[in-house]
Amino acid sequence: MNNNLVEMKNIKKNFGKVQALRGVDFNIGRREIVGLLGDNGAGKSTLIKILVGYEKADEGEIYFEGKKVFFNSPKEAREMGIETVYQDLALVNLLPIWRNFFLGRELVKGAFLSIDEMKKITYEYLKEIGIFIRSPEETVFFLSGGERQAIAIARAMYFGAKLLILDEPTAALSVGETKKVLEHVMRVKEKGVSVIFITHNIYHVYEVADRLVILEKGVKVGDFKKEDVTPQEIMGMIARAAGVIV
Ligand SMILES: Nc1ncnc2c1ncn2[C@@H]1O[C@H](COP(=O)(O)OP(=O)(O)OP(=O)(O)O)[C@@H](O)[C@H]1O
Ligand SMILES: [Mg+2]
């Protein structure tokens, strides 16, 4: 029996005349970190938006834990354990950390929010997984890009995600912050969660990935176990797709 967590089969999507996805097969194993790579416009974001029900495929099928699924919205996907973290939309800037942590899943007692409890859990859970914040009441606006990513990842872990999707989590981060995000990704895997890590930069994902998938103009052009490919080879494939001679 096939034991993949997710199987996307023959996914096609057009936006007007743009063929964003031209029949893509994409699988994610259990406890697997998959690096999803490709140049601008390759179809990476569209593929995961279809997976989580943010966009509708024109054709194709999706299986989650062996069952055929169709998510109408990211909320439905989230209820099944699929969490997505977007680069800029990961958190609500004007709200404090604890509000962000529980956003849409607030703890209530009777008619009231359990504010103190939510603050306490936020602070303690973050600490437990090695993310030190000054206070859960701090507004997210004042955090660095790496800290925001870390909190979004922690939130997904706390709420028991089975699959974590990170769309360009390291695009705007320094080398040090990128390293920290990669450490969190490894920790997520240790908890038994699978991860899709979207990036342009093979060096941001190579260290933690089990498998690397390359899209080019809506077509999957590579699907490698990490042992079978070097970062230089992947770079070459992405650059060729972009028409750059290397
Ligand atoms: N909502 C939309 N309406 C029209 N065209 C779209 C839409 N979303 C994506 N596209 C087009 O589909 C193609 C794939 O876009 P997608 O965002 O999936 O690429 P990507 O690989 O995530 O690129 P990037 O690395 O720049 O984020 C592009 O040509 C893009 O312009
Ligand atoms: Mg994208």
Side-chain angles (χ1 to χ4, degrees):
M1 199 191 102
N2 194 326
N3 201 26
N4 282 323
L5 182 67
V6 174
E7 294 190 1
M8 300 180 79
K9 294 190 183 184
N10 191 32
I11 302 294
K12 294 186 183 166
K13 178 72 179 174
N14 292 348
F15 292 105
K17 285 187 183 150
V18 177
Q19 292 182 296
L21 296 170
R22 311 179 192 213
V24 173
D25 293 332
F26 182 54
N27 298 334
I28 301 122
R30 293 183 194 254
R31 278 188 153 220
E32 189 178 40
I33 302 181
V34 179
L36 180 56
L37 293 124
D39 197 32
N40 293 109
K44 307 180 294 296
S45 295
T46 304
L47 189 63
I48 61 125
K49 282 179 185 164
I50 287 171
L51 173 58
V52 302
Y54 187 88
E55 296 276 7
K56 201 163 162 281
D58 298 333
E59 255 182 72
E61 291 171 354
I62 302 173
Y63 295 82
F64 184 67
E65 298 187 308
K67 286 189 212 80
K68 193 168 172 179
V69 288
F70 176 79
F71 301 125
N72 281 301
S73 70
K75 186 166 176 283
E76 281 185 22
R78 204 169 156 190
E79 279 159 10
M80 294 284 286
I82 302 179
E83 291 274 345
T84 312
V85 180
Y86 296 98
Q87 173 62 28
D88 296 318
L89 304 175
L91 304 171
V92 182
N93 273 335
L94 295 175
L95 292 179
I97 296 172
W98 71 272
R99 284 297 313 239
N100 269 284
F101 199 86
F102 282 95
L103 203 63
R105 290 184 275 217
E106 287 79 5
L107 300 179
V108 285
K109 211 170 204 170
F112 300 99
L113 290 175
S114 304
I115 293 174
D116 290 342
E117 199 184 343
M118 286 190 275
K119 285 182 191 170
K120 186 161 175 269
I121 290 173
T122 301
Y123 186 76
E124 285 180 357
Y125 188 72
L126 291 174
K127 195 167 102 184
E128 186 189 318
I129 63 168
I131 300 167
F132 297 96
I133 53 168
R134 285 166 289 267
S135 156
E137 289 174 48
E138 187 161 3
T139 305
V140 160
F141 182 76
F142 297 109
L143 301 180
S144 74
E147 287 169 331
R148 284 177 217 198
Q149 283 295 330
I151 289 167
I153 293 168
R155 180 177 60 183
M157 274 164 79
Y158 179 76
F159 286 101
K162 293 175 183 168
L163 172 65
L164 175 62
I165 302 173
L166 302 170
D167 194 350
E168 308 262 5
T170 50
L173 302 189
S174 67
V175 174
E177 285 194 319
T178 297
K179 201 159 165 269
K180 277 207 196 120
V181 168
L182 296 183
E183 282 168 20
H184 296 312
V185 168
M186 284 307 288
R187 223 170 272 147
V188 169
K189 183 183 166 180
E190 280 160 21
K191 291 230 172 187
V193 179
S194 303
V195 181
I196 301 175
F197 191 120
I198 299 180
T199 175
H200 282 75
N201 189 333
I202 178 64
Y203 293 102
H204 283 193
V205 76
Y206 192 80
E207 195 183 321
V208 297
D210 299 304
R211 200 150 53 81
L212 299 155
V213 171
I214 306 157
L215 288 183
E216 174 186 341
K217 298 190 182 86
V219 178
K220 187 168 83 176
V221 294
D223 193 334
F224 303 96
K225 283 191 184 147
K226 183 166 67 178
E227 311 81 89
D228 298 336
V229 71
T230 65
Q232 291 78 11
E233 284 170 323
I234 299 273
M235 280 256 284
M237 282 179 242
I238 297 169
R240 255 197 312 283
V244 180
I245 309 293
V246 286

